[in-house]
Amino acid sequence: SRSFPLICSLPTTFCVSRSSVLGSNSPILRFLPKFWGSISILDQHPPNFTLHPNFGVLPPHLNVPTPKFWGSPLIFGVFPLFLPYREETEIIEGEVVEIQIDRPATGTGTKVGKLTLKTTEMETIYDLGAKMIEALSKEKVQAGDVITIDKATGKISKLGRSFTRARDYDAMGAQTKFVQCPDGELQKRREVVHTVSLHEIDVINSRTQGFLALFSGDTGEIKPEVREQINAKVAEWREEGKAEVIPGVLFIDEVHMLDIESFSFLNRALESDMAPVLIMATNRGITRYLSTPGQNHSLTHLGTPKSVVVTLFGEKETQKVLRIGCEEEDVEMTEDAYAVLTRIGLETSLRYAIQLITAASLVARKRKGAEVGVEDIKRVYSLFLDESRSTQYMREYQEAFLFNELQGESMETP
Amino acid sequence: MAVPSWLERLRAAGKTALVQDGKRKIHYLFEDGKEMAEEYDIKTGQLISRKWQEKNTLGGTGKWQVEVGEPTSPLLGALESELITESSSNPIFMRKDTLSSFQWRIRNLPYPKEVYSVSVEEEQRCCVIRTTNKKYYKKFSIPDLDRYHLPLDAAALSFTHANNTLIITYQKPKEILAAEEQLQKELKKIKAANSGDGDCKTQ
């Protein structure tokens, strides 16, 4: 079976959304004690990386225009020293009376919408922007829900359904929670604890437009003077007890995309006493640096003494991941089929096995089966080739393809 | 008293005055970094607007908070217009004082007068507007009374309704009237920095 010389490894494409892997029942996060604080996720899929919003970290979608921008400056930017601070923000809390979204007749263009919210005392109509409409439909907000909206960030949270709507349906999901319609004013000021990274404070202070720069992606250069000032200020806050610094967890996905400078930086930064817990994921054991092609890198110079190697995905783990995958896709599968799929996952690749889930469920549905059986897995296994079979196929028939005369250097794959 | 009184704080603040468009504009910079801007009508000495701004925790400057006067038309940033804004058909709440009273106007309230009730909440130091048809509800405080540490008096509060506008009036107590008169005298003494039109002169 495959073993990875890195701290850990995950399939990079996991069913529909990767959040299921990084979600609460993820095999990775099981290893992390709760008190480690915020988790930020640095996704190396070019040209964007994202700090994962699921973990309450502000999501600055920084566009990375050119490959030369990858690497140390970027990591330096997101190296998370989280600094919770208290601030009053304006929130809107109320029961949804009506939600109305107009799509333009042409089918393209921005949607406009109206949202009517009420409390026991009042009601107000709000105009919705495109992002808010998207968020509302993602949360499946409908009339009768009690929601809160953070006015500054647009974050929506559903508190439950209003008691007055309890008799709308006879059947209710187990998770349906009934709450009282809020009273008083719709807009309230509430003290919330934010966590920000030092980078975010730098950005807020380095530009006149401040906070918005985080979202527009154009952060520009942060001057060393600003950084020094912020460092001094943060040190002051820590002494006064106004803020505390939580190192947090930095998760770097596709770590092999980083260049040699980034690794040197990480190596240095990990020695700082405020360094976060670093988790790296890759699907490559030994590969070449992007920026310096001559040299192999295997993360070994990050130093095995500094890191703990977690070998994931033995047979048990593979099956568990597959089960989570089936759950995500709402696929029922027999135990035999699980066993076969696990075998496939171990012998080919986990990603291939995960991708077979959907295909197999479609096959099962076509034969009007209630759950996916071994024969469905066999069928899709014969339909879709995995990497090694595909390579073999190419070798066998290479004369038949175009450019067969080119004797280029073949890519090494792990 | 440990806390300096409002008048003392005003005296201690750095003040800049400017006469423009028939208004005397005064900018206060307090010791704690808060900023306040006031506009007075030159002829009547009437307070037209008062705004506040303070630095937020992270060092950026926030928006101006309007205490008295027309609410600034929300200049929507790229972010806000994408998110959520109150519809323009909603009631608009603003404070517009007269010389003898504090006054609030709520426009876009089409319901008849019987619907509204305005009361004073002593413990929370605020006034509450309620509607029997549950369309509007608003709690507001009177910062001027808080600054002078004066109690709220239900008898001083009254309201009328006309032209889709609810007007709430609170008679200024005599302590406030005296303090404002004194303040006006002192403000007159500040030399206006620039009485011109404020634009940069071209050469």
Side-chain angles (χ1 to χ4, degrees), chain A residues 324-337:
Chain A
I324 296 172
C326 286
E327 221 169 84
E328 281 291 311
E329 302 265 305
D330 282 330
V331 173
E332 301 276 325
M333 200 176 274
T334 60
E335 285 306 311
D336 288 348

Side-chain angles (χ1 to χ4, degrees), chain A residues 288-336:
Chain A
R288 287 181 179 155
Y289 281 119
L290 273 186
S291 52
T292 35
Q295 296 175 44
N296 281 335
H297 96 56
S298 61
L299 292 197
T300 38
H301 72 269
L302 255 181
T304 24
K306 279 184 192 167
S307 53
V308 183
V309 179
V310 181
T311 322
L312 283 181
F313 305 144
E315 188 172 347
K316 237 168 87 187
E317 288 82 5
T318 306
Q319 197 173 60
K320 183 147 191 195
V321 168
L322 289 172
R323 274 179 204 277
I324 296 172
C326 286
E327 221 169 84
E328 281 291 311
E329 302 265 305
D330 282 330
V331 173
E332 301 276 325
M333 200 176 274
T334 60
E335 285 306 311
D336 288 348

Side-chain angles (χ1 to χ4, degrees), chain A residues 124-125 127 129 187 205 237, chain B residues 57-58 83 85-87 90 135:
Chain A
T124 307
I125 303 167
D127 287 334
Q187 289 202 30
N205 285 281
W237 283 346
Chain B
T57 334
L58 296 182
L83 292 172
T85 47
E86 266 159 79
S87 167
N90 283 329
K135 289 291 184 191

Side-chain angles (χ1 to χ4, degrees), chain A residues 19-48:
Chain A
S19 56
S20 50
V21 182
L22 301 171
S24 51
N25 48 3
S26 125
I28 299 293
L29 297 189
R30 242 190 3 217
F31 296 106
L32 304 179
K34 288 247 158 51
F35 60 81
W36 278 0
S38 312
I39 297 169
S40 53
I41 290 169
L42 182 55
D43 196 344
Q44 296 290 328
H45 276 303
N48 286 317

Side-chain angles (χ1 to χ4, degrees), chain A residues 40-65:
Chain A
S40 53
I41 290 169
L42 182 55
D43 196 344
Q44 296 290 328
H45 276 303
N48 286 317
F49 74 84
T50 340
L51 282 179
H52 207 286
N54 277 3
F55 297 95
V57 183
L58 287 172
H61 293 272
L62 301 176
N63 288 313
V64 187

